[in-house]
């Protein structure tokens, strides 16, 4: 142990440095929240303004086809087989796959690049990035028509998801969303050329948001680690 006065000096130094770090952490966390909110804000501006600008208005079922996944019996889910069975949980992990040997209609499979929508446990659209699989009934396959592009539809569904969740929540956490409800949603859209421009702009925002979020998360991790580093130096007599 150093002398008492030195201990007091070290503690005062630690307190001062920690106060600065805590302030930096707080500012970084606020910036991270702002970065996370930027994309939803941009999507809201795009689609709300489009509605006000007189875009074409139709029910979702008029511009795309929503297809139910396969409802499996327990005996039909295998530990190995010809096709993987995509369940909602597999959208987050490659572990715990079931398999199937069933030969189904072509619309019961999804392939790389297909647009899908998870409506149980984790709501929202995704572009499937993987091999050909059979999809479980908690997932819808969405096939776009010739009026709305797949990427525009994906972004619109991403924007609408929070509204869908809020309007279909019963009690505290129970959500019940039906295919019919989805098909009756009203979508506003411009012509295909404008849709392509909008998608490019949104993708640019997404890229910038991802880069900003990554940098802020790295900074946050560094600041939190800095406290441990300061304590280590302090008790080695290096502070």
């Amino acid at each position: 142990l150093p002398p008492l006065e030195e201990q007091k000096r070290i503690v005062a130094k630690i307190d001062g440095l920690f106060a600065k770090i805590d302030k930096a952490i707080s500012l970084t966390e606020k910036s991270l929240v702002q970065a996370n909110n930027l994309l939803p804000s941009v999507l809201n501006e795009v689609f709300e303004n489009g509605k006000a600008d007189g875009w074409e208005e139709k029910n979702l079922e008029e511009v795309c086809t929503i297809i139910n996944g396969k409802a499996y019996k327990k005996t039909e889910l295998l530990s190995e087989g010809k096709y993987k069975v995509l369940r909602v949980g597999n959208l987050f992990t490659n572990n715990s796959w079931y398999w199937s040997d069933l030969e189904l209609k072509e619309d019961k499979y999804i392939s790389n690049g297909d647009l899908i929508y998870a409506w149980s446990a984790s709501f929202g659209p995704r572009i499937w990035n993987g091999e050909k699989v059979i999809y479980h009934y908690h997932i819808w396959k969405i096939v776009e028509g010739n009026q709305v592009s797949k990427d525009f539809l994906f972004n619109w569904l991403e924007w609408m998801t929070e509204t869908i969740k809020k309007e279909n929540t019963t009690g505290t956490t129970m959500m019940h969303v039906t295919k019919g409800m989805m098909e009756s949603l009203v979508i506003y859209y411009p012509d295909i050329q404008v849709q392509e421009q909008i998608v490019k702009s949104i993708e640019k925002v997404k890229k910038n948001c991802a880069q900003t979020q990554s940098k802020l998360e790295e900074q946050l991790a560094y600041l939190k680690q800095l406290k441990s580093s300061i304590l280590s130096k302090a008790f080695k007599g290096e502070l």
Side-chain angles (χ1 to χ4, degrees), residues 140-224:
W140 291 314
K141 178 179 179 178
I142 300 181
V143 181
E144 73 279 6
N146 57 11
Q147 301 170 76
V148 178
S149 75
K150 177 169 60 182
D151 292 326
F152 182 87
L153 188 55
F154 168 80
N155 283 292
W156 181 82
L157 287 167
E158 195 169 41
W159 172 66
M160 276 296 295
T161 291
E162 283 305 312
T163 300
I164 292 169
K165 288 162 68 174
K166 288 175 183 177
E167 292 181 353
N168 293 276
T169 300
T170 57
T172 54
T173 58
M174 291 297 291
M175 284 185 282
H176 183 64
V177 180
T178 66
K179 180 170 170 285
M181 186 282 299
M182 286 291 289
E183 290 171 333
S184 65
L185 291 175
V186 176
I187 180 173
Y188 297 83
Y189 60 91
D191 59 50
I192 290 291
Q193 289 75 21
V194 176
Q195 289 178 38
E196 290 174 354
Q197 295 170 4
I198 289 170
V199 168
K200 285 181 181 178
S201 297
I202 291 174
E203 289 305 313
K204 187 175 180 180
V205 172
K206 285 182 178 179
K207 183 178 179 180
N208 290 338
C209 283
Q211 290 174 343
T212 302
Q213 288 165 356
S214 178
K215 288 178 182 177
L216 288 170
E217 285 167 358
E218 287 178 8
Q219 182 175 326
L220 200 56
Y222 167 76
L223 288 168
K224 290 178 178 179

Side-chain angles (χ1 to χ4, degrees), residues 9-239:
R9 184 195 70 79
I10 292 171
V11 169
K13 186 76 175 289
I14 291 172
D15 287 345
L17 291 172
F18 274 23
K20 291 178 181 179
I21 292 171
D22 287 339
K23 184 177 180 180
I25 286 174
S26 177
L27 291 171
T28 304
E29 287 175 338
K30 287 179 182 177
S31 296
L32 193 53
V33 169
Q34 291 173 345
N36 290 333
N37 289 337
L38 180 58
L39 179 59
S41 175
V42 169
L43 291 176
N44 192 60
E45 183 178 352
V46 167
F47 294 114
E48 286 293 347
N49 286 351
K51 182 165 58 174
D53 288 342
W55 285 357
E56 188 78 22
E57 175 187 348
K58 288 190 177 179
N59 288 342
L60 190 60
E61 64 182 343
E62 298 180 80
V63 299
C64 68
T65 303
I66 301 176
I67 307 169
N68 284 321
K70 164 73 176 169
Y72 276 90
K73 299 175 184 177
K74 285 186 177 181
T75 55
E76 293 176 329
L77 292 170
L78 310 174
S79 58
E80 58 181 26
K82 187 173 181 180
Y83 301 106
K84 284 183 174 180
V85 177
L86 177 67
R87 297 173 298 154
V88 174
N90 298 124
L91 296 172
F92 303 96
T93 174
N94 290 323
N95 302 325
S96 303
W97 283 92
Y98 282 115
W99 298 74
S100 173
D101 285 330
L102 295 176
E103 294 293 343
L104 306 172
K105 292 181 180 180
E106 191 57 34
D107 65 6
K108 296 303 181 187
Y109 300 91
I110 59 171
S111 300
N112 190 54
D114 284 347
L115 175 58
I116 60 176
Y117 196 97
W119 59 269
S120 175
S122 176
F123 279 69
R126 285 171 177 77
I127 303 294
W128 175 241
N129 180 22
E131 62 189 283
K132 181 178 179 180
V133 294
I134 301 173
Y135 57 107
H136 197 260
Y137 77 98
H138 283 150
I139 297 171
W140 291 314
K141 178 179 179 178
I142 300 181
V143 181
E144 73 279 6
N146 57 11
Q147 301 170 76
V148 178
S149 75
K150 177 169 60 182
D151 292 326
F152 182 87
L153 188 55
F154 168 80
N155 283 292
W156 181 82
L157 287 167
E158 195 169 41
W159 172 66
M160 276 296 295
T161 291
E162 283 305 312
T163 300
I164 292 169
K165 288 162 68 174
K166 288 175 183 177
E167 292 181 353
N168 293 276
T169 300
T170 57
T172 54
T173 58
M174 291 297 291
M175 284 185 282
H176 183 64
V177 180
T178 66
K179 180 170 170 285
M181 186 282 299
M182 286 291 289
E183 290 171 333
S184 65
L185 291 175
V186 176
I187 180 173
Y188 297 83
Y189 60 91
D191 59 50
I192 290 291
Q193 289 75 21
V194 176
Q195 289 178 38
E196 290 174 354
Q197 295 170 4
I198 289 170
V199 168
K200 285 181 181 178
S201 297
I202 291 174
E203 289 305 313
K204 187 175 180 180
V205 172
K206 285 182 178 179
K207 183 178 179 180
N208 290 338
C209 283
Q211 290 174 343
T212 302
Q213 288 165 356
S214 178
K215 288 178 182 177
L216 288 170
E217 285 167 358
E218 287 178 8
Q219 182 175 326
L220 200 56
Y222 167 76
L223 288 168
K224 290 178 178 179
Q225 180 61 36
L226 192 56
K227 282 190 171 184
S228 297
S229 177
I230 288 170
L231 288 175
S232 177
K233 286 180 178 291
F235 293 110
K236 289 179 181 176
E238 299 173 359
L239 193 63

